[in-house]
Amino acid sequence: MIDIHCHLLPAVDDGPGTVEQTIEMAKRAVEEGVTAIVVTPHAFHPQFETEDLNVQEAAATLQNVLRQEAIKLDIYPGQEIRVFGDLVQALEDGEALSLAGSRYVLVEFPSDTVPAYAEQLFFRLQAEGYTPVIAHPERNKELATNPKRLMDFVSSGALSQVTTSSLTGEFGQNVKEIAFVFLRNGLSQLVASDAHSTGRRTFYWEEAKQVVTDELGAGRWETLVENAEAVVKDEFVFVDPPILPTKNWRGKWKK
């Protein structure tokens, strides 16, 4: 199992503060069945100063540390990129990184809104051969209240990735429900941990597998696992035709 969104690098952003904490996170990931992680520190985010970080070097250093600790976990470089107008140029200049050197670019919106220029930015990304992957759309207020925005992105070729901790209810029942709505209706095609620690913001892979299997079936879980592998291999990600979610007369999302 491959985790394509994880804050594993030590002393970089709001992830682990020390190498020792990173090692504990890595051990936890392996215990839960993870074989590879794309490290995705925040990039171009107003709260984190990571512009001087060489993610490739940091990932290689971490890989060596894990080998010394006999932890069987493959590490790939990536970033969780806060969207901004010059993202395409930053990717071309090597200032921004895709996931594991693939066509897939993990992008993050502000928590409350979707910038007005997002559609144009995604069009430019795709024109240059990249595929945007929207991180944790279930935790974006605008997408959660207006799923048609996400449907429009996916219909135009973008992907989205819900978080294991959202599926297990760590962010509350409302976030859990919309995460499943996105999976059930083909608006999200990927699951990742977005883990930051071994505490509350940990991996939750085992729990997520159980709840997804119970709710959507074992076949859907296997597809999600295969899609994450496809990202790292830079292969095609399986996409169901997206369906616009609807609510019943009580205001609850229909299954």
Side-chain angles (χ1 to χ4, degrees):
M1 191 160 57
I2 297 175
D3 194 342
I4 64 165
H5 180 183
C6 181
H7 297 263
L8 190 64
L9 295 178
V12 168
D13 49 16
D14 54 346
T18 66
V19 173
E20 290 75 19
Q21 291 172 347
T22 290
I23 290 172
E24 289 306 308
M25 283 184 67
K27 290 179 179 178
R28 173 75 67 86
V30 171
E31 289 172 359
E32 296 193 21
V34 178
T35 57
I37 286 177
V38 184
V39 291
T40 51
H42 290 286
F44 302 96
H45 193 292
Q47 295 180 5
F48 305 103
E49 297 180 2
T50 57
E51 60 271 11
D52 294 330
L53 174 68
N54 187 316
V55 180
Q56 291 100 328
E57 288 185 3
T61 298
L62 176 56
Q63 184 73 83
N64 288 333
V65 169
L66 297 182
R67 285 176 180 150
Q68 291 170 8
E69 296 289 328
I71 299 172
K72 294 182 179 180
L73 187 65
D74 293 330
I75 301 298
Y76 298 94
Q79 288 175 321
E80 180 183 13
I81 304 169
R82 176 63 68 92
V83 292
F84 66 105
D86 292 329
L87 174 54
V88 175
Q89 190 62 50
L91 287 163
E92 295 301 302
D93 293 342
E95 297 172 358
L97 298 180
S98 64
L99 296 171
S102 70
R103 78 194 76 175
Y104 299 100
V105 180
L106 184 67
V107 296
E108 178 189 31
F109 294 138
S111 59
D112 289 338
T113 63
V114 174
Y117 62 82
E119 284 86 355
Q120 184 179 8
L121 174 62
F122 282 15
F123 178 82
R124 295 203 306 269
L125 281 167
Q126 291 169 279
E128 295 299 322
Y130 297 104
T131 298
V133 178
I134 303 168
H136 43 68
E138 74 280 8
R139 285 157 42 197
N140 176 276
K141 184 176 181 180
E142 183 171 346
L143 296 179
T145 56
N146 183 14
K148 188 177 186 306
R149 291 297 309 274
L150 183 58
M151 181 175 174
D152 289 343
F153 286 127
V154 173
S155 297
S156 298
L159 305 174
S160 77
Q161 167 258 305
V162 296
T163 303
T164 54
S165 51
S166 295
L167 295 168
T168 59
E170 298 303 315
F171 288 97
Q173 185 63 26
N174 289 338
V175 172
K176 178 178 180 177
E177 287 179 2
I178 197 66
F180 272 103
V181 166
F182 289 167
L183 286 179
R184 189 179 295 110
N185 290 279
L187 301 183
S188 293
Q189 306 77 24
L190 295 157
V191 171
S193 74
D194 190 15
H196 285 63
S197 69
T198 55
R200 181 174 177 269
R201 300 286 306 272
T202 192
F203 291 96
Y204 298 104
W205 276 109
E206 293 176 333
E207 296 95 329
K209 178 181 179 180
Q210 187 63 56
V211 295
V212 170
T213 300
D214 290 346
E215 186 76 16
L216 305 176
R220 176 59 63 88
W221 180 257
E222 288 304 316
T223 297
L224 293 169
V225 171
E226 291 168 1
N227 285 349
E229 294 174 353
V231 167
V232 170
K233 294 177 180 178
D234 198 20
E235 296 175 350
F236 178 75
V237 170
F238 178 81
V239 178
D240 285 322
I243 300 169
L244 183 64
T246 57
K247 292 183 177 181
N248 62 24
W249 65 275
R250 291 183 175 181
K252 295 289 186 180
W253 294 108
K254 293 181 179 179
K255 292 187 178 181

